[in-house]
Amino acid sequence: MAVRKRDHLLAVAQRMFCEIGFHAVSVDAILAEAGVARMTLYKNFGSKEELIVATLKREDRMFRQWLASAVEGQSNHSKDRILGIFHALHDRFASEGYYGCAFIRASIEYPASDHPVHRAAREHKEMIRSYLRGLAAEVEGVDPVTLSEQLYLLFDGAITASQLHGEPWSAEYARQAAEKLLATPSVEPRPPAKRRRGASRNPNRRLGNVEGATKH
């Protein structure tokens, strides 16, 4: 019974956090929705932030399962799988009840890079990067590191755009861009451009203050 209450509380918290926001949802609201006592929450999770981390880990497991069923089982060819990711994203974005990316939201609401919530969000994104590196390594004639990072930007960019606009079109445009990348005979990292004489040594002077920007 205790395990069932814990799982029920976790599922309710995950839905509310992902749909409404982590700061916007109070512990009292979660307890009322789940119909459990406050002691159940603190006995199993200790604090609201520990509950958030647990929901992100649950969201990560569910995303991995979705990715495996939507992409891995469709083809044995890495190029087909890469393009299949964006087809799957399009269907995901268009599905009823899609609430966007909990990990992007978590990293924004908890911007400190050493915060447990932010770390949990970053670990999920690193999982995606690692998965894409594995696929890119099987594509002949390309630099796998460059290709995987480009695909990651398309992947996360499509998710961000869908979350902002509430429409699935970003996945299709990302797929078209990925298709062009895969059609390129060789994708290699460009050498750094030579600095012109007299040019500023501080790129932040031209780009603005980017201190504290979070790498995902």
Side-chain angles (χ1 to χ4, degrees):
M1 180 65 70
V3 173
R4 186 179 301 175
K5 283 187 177 181
R6 181 189 184 279
D7 292 344
H8 173 63
L9 174 61
L10 189 59
V12 170
Q14 179 186 7
R15 175 177 56 79
M16 294 181 71
F17 283 143
C18 292
E19 291 180 356
I20 303 171
F22 299 99
H23 290 317
V25 175
S26 67
V27 167
D28 288 341
I30 294 172
L31 295 177
E33 182 71 16
V36 300
R38 184 177 296 271
M39 184 59 68
T40 301
L41 186 150
Y42 290 110
K43 181 179 179 180
N44 286 282
F45 302 103
S47 68
K48 178 182 177 180
E49 290 183 351
E50 289 185 22
L51 177 62
I52 292 173
V53 171
T55 61
L56 289 176
K57 290 182 178 179
R58 187 174 191 269
E59 183 81 1
D60 174 75
R61 289 194 298 272
M62 293 173 66
F63 190 93
R64 290 170 188 255
Q65 292 170 359
W66 167 81
L67 192 63
S69 63
V71 177
E72 287 297 307
Q74 303 304 314
S75 175
N76 292 325
H77 300 289
S78 56
K79 287 187 177 182
D80 291 339
R81 286 180 176 178
I82 289 171
L83 296 179
I85 289 173
F86 298 100
H87 284 298
L89 282 180
H90 186 280
D91 293 342
R92 185 178 178 87
F93 298 162
S95 64
E96 185 177 356
Y98 175 69
Y99 46 69
C101 180
F103 306 98
I104 292 175
R105 179 176 302 211
S107 69
I108 293 172
E109 293 197 35
Y110 293 87
S113 61
D114 60 344
H115 194 283
V117 173
H118 190 100
R119 288 202 304 267
R122 186 172 62 240
E123 286 171 3
H124 170 79
K125 294 300 182 181
E126 289 299 334
M127 179 274 293
I128 298 297
R129 292 178 72 191
S130 177
Y131 175 69
L132 291 172
R133 281 195 294 271
L135 291 180
E138 298 175 359
V139 179
E140 296 182 1
V142 301
D143 174 68
V145 175
T146 301
L147 176 61
S148 65
E149 297 291 34
Q150 290 171 332
L151 292 172
Y152 173 69
L153 291 177
L154 290 174
F155 181 94
D156 239 30
I159 291 175
T160 302
S162 74
Q163 188 159 334
L164 179 63
H165 297 284
E167 297 177 356
W169 52 260
S170 59
E172 173 58 20
Y173 284 110
R175 185 200 63 78
Q176 293 175 15
E179 197 167 32
K180 290 182 179 180
L181 286 175
L182 293 171
T184 304
S186 179
V187 180
E188 297 180 357
R190 295 182 179 180
K194 294 183 179 179
R195 187 172 59 86
R196 297 190 306 274
R197 182 174 298 179
S200 170
R201 293 179 180 272
N202 184 5
N204 291 349
R205 187 173 301 173
R206 179 170 59 86
L207 298 175
N209 184 14
V210 294
E211 291 183 3
T214 304
K215 182 178 180 182
H216 298 284

